[in-house]
Amino acid sequence: MPTPSSQASIVASWQWPRIHARPALALLGFCVALGLLLGLTVCLNILAEGGTVPGLRPFVWELTGALGAWLVLPILFTAVINAPGPRVGWGRFLGIHAVAFLLFTSAHIVLMAVTRQGLYALFDWGPYDYGAMAFRIPMEAMKDLLSYSLGATFVSLFTAWKERQDRALREASLEGELRAAQLQALTGQLHPHFLFNALNTVSAVMYEDLARTDRLLSDLGGLLRASLERREATWTLAEERTQAARFVALLAARFGERVCVRWEVAPGLEQVQVPCFALQALVDNAVKHNQDRTEPLEVRIRAREDGPDWRLEVEDTGRGFGSRSPASGTGVGLAHLERILALLHDGRARLERGQGPEGGARVALLLPREAAP
């Protein structure tokens, strides 16, 4: 079979088919089977008319015809590659196929005649009589016209289908690479954001309590290791909770009793997948936008099923959205999370911003249930 080329159908330059062994052998097997089947049909027809089957000659006739067609198939492939359809122009399409058909049927008839004469001599069957050429050649040409038309149509349709498949695979591969690069870029932007705030926290307590500083550095080391070693865009909620707990420890060291974090995770959700460091981004937002307040800040982290989705939310008792805060951030953390959710779930996940019962901010991630194993 010819190798499909995306441009072969429209370019005017002449192209030649590349014949590969496996499809060529498959076609050979098909032609042999077809020749045997047609030979058997001829035998049965002779017997049905009361005649006597002349030995293996019916099979020789049909096998030489089928194998001769197999040998001249490159002519058909060449024509299809250079004129797969009328879209190349009717003149080019009809001209190429007319010439190709004449070559196809001429070569086929010559091959059949020469081969049969040789086999007749080999088997000592006497001279081979091809019949009156004035009738035999038109008969063979009409049979070849049918074979050529069906073959060219099949090859043209198969080539077009293969081109579409190859193009779809290439597009899917490129889309996957692009998506991976986008996720890597987004998470790469997100992690330094957390680590920068964590370092500030360590700096704030290092001159007051050496033992606490050691624990904080240990937590920070764990965060750094997770950030540097993680290559995937998601991990389990249990892993996210472990990293978030380290970050909460850093916050507690810095803000003391002013910040309290509570967890409410419904059973069975520990293994669901979440974007890496999503909880840390939300907790960090809750704290930094309320760090100037003297009132205690309670941050509530909840995970539970919510209809067809499951819900991961962070709610605080601070000033809420829309109020001025000491944080100079532009909401890049939430924007990154929304972008990551879109890339991971193709619009089936979303981020909601709202207000808690005490007026603080509430941010929820609604993730599709299939994200759970």
Side-chain angles (χ1 to χ4, degrees), residues 69-126:
W70 177 74
L71 288 173
V72 297
L73 277 177
I75 299 174
L76 183 150
F77 291 153
T78 303
V80 171
I81 286 177
N82 292 279
R87 64 182 181 277
V88 300
W90 280 103
R92 179 183 176 89
F93 176 73
L94 294 177
I96 288 177
H97 281 287
V99 173
F101 171 71
L102 290 176
L103 291 174
F104 180 90
T105 189
S106 300
H108 186 211
I109 292 172
V110 170
L111 280 172
M112 284 192 298
V114 171
T115 305
R116 290 172 187 174
Q117 287 175 356
L119 290 174
Y120 267 58
L122 178 66
F123 296 139
D124 198 20
W125 290 345

Side-chain angles (χ1 to χ4, degrees), residues 268-320:
L269 293 180
E270 291 81 4
Q271 297 305 311
V272 298
Q273 295 290 311
V274 299
C276 294
F277 301 102
L279 276 179
Q280 294 181 44
L282 299 181
V283 173
D284 184 48
N285 267 351
V287 173
K288 75 181 182 182
H289 288 291
N290 296 284
Q291 58 185 312
D292 61 324
R293 292 163 57 92
T294 58
E295 299 89 345
L297 177 71
E298 184 171 311
V299 180
R300 300 154 186 163
I301 302 174
R302 303 188 185 97
R304 58 182 171 82
E305 296 181 353
D306 187 0
D309 304 319
W310 71 277
R311 184 183 187 93
L312 179 65
E313 71 177 22
V314 174
E315 177 186 287
D316 64 63
T317 56
R319 54 170 44 94

Side-chain angles (χ1 to χ4, degrees), residues 139-339:
M139 184 272 288
E140 295 288 1
M142 285 188 286
K143 290 171 61 179
D144 282 344
L145 179 60
L146 179 62
S147 301
Y148 182 93
S149 301
L150 291 175
T153 301
F154 172 78
V155 173
S156 180
L157 293 175
F158 177 80
T159 302
W161 174 81
K162 191 71 168 54
E163 286 180 2
R164 288 196 297 272
Q165 291 295 106
D166 291 344
R167 186 164 54 250
L169 287 175
R170 286 195 300 272
E171 291 174 352
S173 177
L174 289 174
E175 184 179 354
E177 292 176 4
L178 176 61
R179 177 166 298 198
Q182 289 175 320
L183 283 172
Q184 188 174 7
L186 289 172
T187 53
Q189 292 172 351
L190 205 58
H191 299 167
H193 173 69
F194 293 118
L195 297 175
F196 176 76
N197 287 285
L199 284 172
N200 281 340
T201 302
V202 172
S203 176
V205 301
M206 63 183 296
Y207 296 107
E208 301 173 359
D209 190 332
L210 185 59
R212 177 182 296 181
T213 301
D214 183 63
R215 291 195 298 273
L216 294 177
L217 286 175
S218 177
D219 288 330
L220 180 57
L223 285 173
L224 279 170
R225 186 166 51 252
S227 175
L228 294 174
E229 292 179 352
R230 193 68 185 178
R231 292 292 179 267
E232 294 80 8
T234 64
W235 53 18
T236 64
L237 179 58
E239 292 173 301
E240 174 69 10
R241 183 171 181 172
T242 298
Q243 302 306 324
R246 287 172 170 157
F247 189 73
V248 167
L250 294 169
L251 293 178
R254 179 178 180 183
F255 293 101
E257 295 180 354
R258 290 172 51 203
V259 175
C260 175
V261 178
R262 300 188 184 281
W263 292 82
E264 295 179 27
V265 178
L269 293 180
E270 291 81 4
Q271 297 305 311
V272 298
Q273 295 290 311
V274 299
C276 294
F277 301 102
L279 276 179
Q280 294 181 44
L282 299 181
V283 173
D284 184 48
N285 267 351
V287 173
K288 75 181 182 182
H289 288 291
N290 296 284
Q291 58 185 312
D292 61 324
R293 292 163 57 92
T294 58
E295 299 89 345
L297 177 71
E298 184 171 311
V299 180
R300 300 154 186 163
I301 302 174
R302 303 188 185 97
R304 58 182 171 82
E305 296 181 353
D306 187 0
D309 304 319
W310 71 277
R311 184 183 187 93
L312 179 65
E313 71 177 22
V314 174
E315 177 186 287
D316 64 63
T317 56
R319 54 170 44 94
F321 292 108
S323 301
R324 297 186 61 181
S325 78
S328 57
T330 58
V332 65
L334 295 185
H336 282 167
L337 269 179
E338 286 185 310
R339 186 73 182 122

